[in-house]
Amino acid sequence: MPDKTLEFKTKACHGGKVNKERLTAMVCANMSGTEKLPLLVLGKSEKPRCFKNVRTLPTQYKANKKAWMTAKFFKTWVREVDEKMHKQGRKIALVIDNCPAHPKKIKNLHATELVFLPRNSTSVTQPMDQGVIKNLKVHYRKQVVAKKIKAVDNNKDFSISVLDALRMMRHAWSQVTSTTIKNCYRHAGFTSTQTTDVESEDDADDDIPLNQLASILGTRVSMDDYVNIDDELQATEAISDNDILSELLEARSVDDDSDNDDTIESTIQLQHRFLLNRRLRHVTQFEHFLNP
């Protein structure tokens, strides 16, 4: 809640120990905002009790111990999207963050080209990070606060199950407008021949209701801090030496009819990543030795 969640920014969350109840959601939408893919939500429990007797979940749902996006989950998701687009006779380009959970090579894609953003540029070049994710959080947290107020009014205990969260996330995602998505792409530098409506990154119509609801609870936290309270939490797996070696071996096993120059370049990049990862690990161990 707004008056209790500031600790997320001041306390480390290694492996989700501080924040035990957490979900990670991945969003994807096209440049015009006319098509939003269903959310992929990651939780910690594969079969929560609230899923009992539920035939269809509100969103896609996967689970691992830390509720993190992993390379395995991402590959499966990309292949599902690719199969869907292939059946529809479409060709798409997926603009992707450059992080360990997003593998560079995914074989046997028929309708999808992977386009990776430059390293350390997500806050500037990633369209979803220009306001789409924040807008989704505003709509979601508005439902959380409203649910809390309803529980107080009815003298009932306040709780949100994983199923409740999935339902609220799906509804929040449906409330993100195409105008918001188009302008976020524009802010990230993506241009189109289509006209784009002018709109600020922060939609006042979204923030005002959330402010009004939170004021009922007497919160002392600003709504901007509340909406962005979990921005610093880790949401993807950390890459290991074994992961890099696996990618390296996979790159070397590319079919002979592929572009040899691209294969060599990819292999060199993976070798550099492996060496850099080992150096960073040694630095971390050395720092820990100096400051136990």
Side-chain angles (χ1 to χ4, degrees):
M1 298 306 298
D3 59 342
K4 296 181 180 179
T5 53
L6 281 179
E7 66 176 16
F8 292 163
K9 283 191 173 181
T10 59
K11 294 184 180 180
C13 186
H14 302 296
K17 292 181 180 180
V18 174
N19 182 18
K20 295 181 180 180
E21 299 296 334
R22 62 177 301 182
L23 295 171
T24 300
M26 185 176 71
V27 300
C28 181
N30 67 350
M31 185 173 173
S32 64
T34 58
E35 185 173 1
K36 295 179 289 187
L37 296 184
L39 295 176
L40 171 60
V41 181
L42 309 170
K44 298 180 68 176
S45 175
E46 187 173 349
K47 295 182 179 179
R49 293 181 180 178
C50 57
F51 285 4
K52 188 176 181 180
N53 300 325
V54 177
R55 295 183 178 180
T56 305
L57 295 178
T59 69
Q60 288 183 284
Y61 180 82
K62 303 288 184 181
N64 57 32
K65 293 181 179 180
K66 298 180 180 179
W68 284 352
M69 171 60 71
T70 65
K72 180 180 179 181
F73 287 158
F74 185 74
K75 285 182 179 180
T76 300
W77 180 83
V78 170
R79 290 195 175 101
E80 290 174 352
V81 172
D82 180 71
E83 183 179 359
K84 175 183 177 181
M85 298 301 164
H86 183 60
K87 289 181 179 179
Q88 295 177 0
R90 302 165 63 184
K91 294 285 187 178
I92 67 168
L94 277 178
V95 180
I96 304 169
D97 289 342
N98 201 321
C99 84
H102 299 158
K104 292 286 188 180
K105 297 290 183 179
I106 301 180
K107 293 183 177 181
N108 302 322
L109 298 181
H110 304 288
T112 305
E113 180 180 352
L114 305 183
V115 180
F116 287 88
L117 295 169
R119 292 182 180 275
N120 304 320
S121 66
T122 298
S123 60
V124 178
T125 59
Q126 168 57 274
M128 299 296 107
D129 215 47
Q130 299 304 305
V132 175
I133 294 174
K134 180 178 180 179
N135 196 247
L136 173 66
K137 288 182 177 181
V138 167
H139 288 296
Y140 177 80
R141 301 204 195 289
K142 184 167 62 176
Q143 295 178 77
V144 173
V145 175
K147 189 177 179 67
K148 171 67 173 180
I149 294 173
K150 184 176 180 180
V152 172
D153 290 341
N154 296 327
N155 293 320
K156 293 183 178 179
D157 293 333
F158 172 69
S159 64
I160 297 178
S161 68
V162 175
L163 185 59
D164 291 333
L166 296 186
R167 288 170 177 163
M168 290 192 295
M169 271 192 269
R170 183 181 65 177
H171 180 70
W173 187 222
S174 70
Q175 297 299 302
V176 179
T177 66
S178 60
T179 302
T180 296
I181 296 173
K182 284 191 294 184
N183 285 316
C184 289
Y185 268 95
R186 179 171 56 84
H187 294 155
F190 291 78
T191 58
S192 172
T193 55
Q194 299 177 351
T195 58
T196 303
D197 298 332
V198 177
E199 179 183 331
S200 64
E201 289 188 37
D202 301 326
D203 191 344
D205 291 337
D206 288 325
D207 291 336
I208 291 176
L210 181 56
N211 277 315
Q212 292 174 346
L213 288 171
S215 66
I216 298 176
L217 298 177
T219 177
R220 298 179 298 276
V221 178
S222 71
M223 285 303 94
D224 191 60
D225 286 339
Y226 177 45
V227 170
N228 300 313
I229 206 70
D230 53 8
D231 282 356
E232 297 178 12
L233 295 181
Q234 185 173 349
T236 60
E237 67 175 345
I239 194 166
S240 65
D241 289 348
N242 290 334
D243 295 329
I244 299 177
L245 284 174
S246 297
E247 288 189 53
L248 181 60
L249 293 174
E250 184 176 347
R252 288 180 174 176
S253 64
V254 175
D255 296 337
D256 294 336
D257 57 353
S258 63
D259 190 337
N260 188 53
D261 292 338
D262 291 343
T263 303
I264 294 174
E265 182 180 359
S266 176
T267 303
I268 293 174
Q269 290 176 349
L270 287 170
Q271 289 173 336
H272 287 170
R273 288 174 63 192
F274 175 72
L275 294 174
L276 178 60
N277 195 56
R278 291 187 62 184
R279 289 174 183 173
L280 289 175
R281 182 168 297 179
H282 291 160
V283 169
T284 302
Q285 292 174 348
F286 181 67
E287 290 179 345
H288 179 70
F289 175 77
L290 293 177
N291 302 287

